[in-house]
Amino acid sequence: MNADRLPPVAPEVTATLVEGLSPRLRKRLDAAVTKLAARPVHRDGDTTTIEVDDETELRLHAPGGVVAQVEDVTCGCLLAPACVHRAAAACAAPTADLAPEPAEQPTPEAAGPVSADAATATGSGAVATHPASVTDPATAMVPASATHRAPGTDSAPVRGPAPAPGLTPDAAPAPPETATPDQRAAADALWAAGAAVLEAGVDGAGAVAQSALLRAAHTARLRHLPRAAGAALSVVTLLRAARASDPSYRTAELVTALAELLGTARRVATATGTELAAVRGRVRRPYSPDGSLRLYGLFTEPVVTDSGHGGVRTWVAGADGRLFTVGDVAPGGVGRALGVADRAVRLGDTALTHRELGRAGLAVSGATVSPDGRLGAGKSVKAVTARGAAWTEPPLAALWETPPAEQAARALRSTSRYADPDGTGSDLLFLDVELLGAVREPGGTCLLALGEGGVPVRLTAADDEPALAHRDNLALLAAAPGTRLRIIGRLIPAAHPRLTLLACSHPTGEGTIDLGLDRLRRADLPDPAAPAHFAPPQPAGPGEQSPLYLLERRVEQTVPAGRAALGMLGDVTAETRRIRRGGLPTAAGLLTALCASAAQRERDNFGRLLPADTDGFAAYWLAAARYSAAVSESLCSAAWNPTGEGRGVSGGPPAAAARPAV
């Protein structure tokens, strides 16, 4: 049985079914999920039937496409409704996306087609947050048990600051808004569930642990904490993918999701004002009016997701240089992506296709724009075709005039795993480069180019899907060393300048190429007969020599195997000594404290092991995960600076990166 064949189940339904099992049945739940996955599935309208055995059927009724009530899951076995089959089916099915908060009303634009950004996100697309400030190992090692409040312990009313001299009480400034006691309690439940997953690791985080996360996510949504709730659902989705050996699963994604969950839950109790609003998050990003816009097409990229969605995203720029997108993504995979490129854009009365819009222009009145630059397609939006502009003409030419280092810094702010999601900014870079040839790397072959200031930039394919043109076009460009191109790429955070190549000027100098949709031919190259050219090996930069990976691998090692994996490491003095020599004393302190916390198990007066300090270990792991990511981003930013200004001693990161805001 493929889980995608089952209808999505609401988180609270799965949690309720698991909580209703007896302790004996809970122990059998994971085995029941595995056994049920091998049974035949049939769908008839809103009802999906699973053949538990030759005589028993289990039904999931999903009116509207989602199993929203416990009563919608029924089983024909003798033990029903107290059987394990109902809970196993809910755990095997995908988790339904969070519904909007009861107090929120979706905007008309939000109900439109699935956006490219939403479709490519994992789970709810949550972004990680800043942990508490770390200034040195001593202050970084405060366990969560010492600072994280238990539910109900801080429900006293918040007192505002005393009135300034000469002001009456009525004129005193209002105290900043803080989280409610219910929100703090919900955050505590999320922290506890996330810490339990980190304690057990992927192998130990079965259906029962996932149920605890789903229950905490449901409670957090009801308490108007959609950001933390979305992070919890992302963790559940990734845990299921890992336990099912899904080839698309990546441990780094689960590290980010867990850090987002724990970091957001921890900040709820202390955040105030605008920070609290960012920590709470929002289910939908509203579209706001933006008047009249004159837009110029840049390029169109295909979008193909692991969830089976396909479509395109067309990028356009305003007269002031702002970037906007027009997307059309829906279930359908790569076939739909190739077909939608030649369909008319859903915006006003224009008849332009997405391919044509990438090279033409639009005049839009009554425009509505989301915070992340998506253009709304409501009834009040009017759009007509207008003249476009070449990449070398204003206003588009200004995009290539910004120094690459500034562009990379802007892109990092947009893609940072720990930034509060404000939806602004873009991860695109606009560069003029000279092609040098292909470079062999452990993960495959990429195209090496020389950017402004002599900075070598590695260019990779945006998608390895054979039906798309990315990979073949990159191979052809490797056969044209010395060719100068104007390119658009998406930043890949790394210790060296690295981009996924999305579009470029035509090698002949006429027109542009959408590298995922248009196919270059050998006749388009300056020397059509030239074979692929391999550039000489490039020396490693300071960031690539950084020993930060020693901390990063311990952070990642915890996720699949749990706390016990680090507890058995023993002495890590050699690793911490190497990290200190690399100019990262805080990283060395974090690694020491993380491993010490993992190995720490106290005993009672009778010599029996006491429960592990899961809160303390989770706090150390969270600080290490956020610190290593912050330093990695700083190394990436420094790599784009051709002068090397801002790099720390011994090839380390800039001084500011040694003490990140975590």
Side-chain angles (χ1 to χ4, degrees), residues 240-338:
R240 291 178 176 178
R243 292 174 63 86
S245 300
D246 189 330
S248 65
Y249 166 76
R250 299 291 182 271
T251 300
E253 293 180 359
L254 185 51
V255 168
T256 300
L258 269 172
E260 158 70 0
L261 171 62
L262 294 172
T264 304
R266 191 170 189 178
R267 291 175 64 193
V268 167
T270 57
T272 61
T274 56
E275 182 189 2
L276 178 61
V279 172
R280 284 174 174 164
R282 52 189 175 189
V283 176
R284 297 183 184 272
R285 294 188 172 183
Y287 285 72
S288 58
D290 206 342
S292 298
L293 296 174
R294 179 66 168 88
L295 304 175
Y296 300 85
L298 281 166
F299 71 99
T300 299
E301 62 172 321
V303 177
V304 180
T305 72
D306 294 332
S307 61
H309 288 74
V312 294
R313 180 195 293 119
T314 299
W315 290 81
V316 296
D320 57 357
R322 286 189 298 162
L323 299 181
F324 304 91
T325 60
V326 181
D328 185 351
V329 178
V334 65
R336 187 178 190 278
L338 294 173

Side-chain angles (χ1 to χ4, degrees), residues 64 173 195 435 497:
L435 302 183

Side-chain angles (χ1 to χ4, degrees), residues 426-454:
S426 166
D427 56 359
L428 299 185
L429 269 69
F430 304 83
L431 306 176
D432 289 308
V433 300
E434 178 183 345
L435 302 183
L436 299 180
V439 172
R440 293 186 178 93
E441 294 183 326
T445 302
C446 68
L447 177 61
L448 186 68
L450 201 62
E452 183 180 324

Side-chain angles (χ1 to χ4, degrees), residues 472-481 506-508 519-533:
D472 293 340
N473 285 336
L474 206 69
L476 277 177
L477 291 175
H506 197 283
T508 62
R519 290 190 178 273
L520 286 168
R521 299 171 298 176
R522 285 202 172 272
D524 296 324
L525 303 181
D527 184 1
H533 175 77

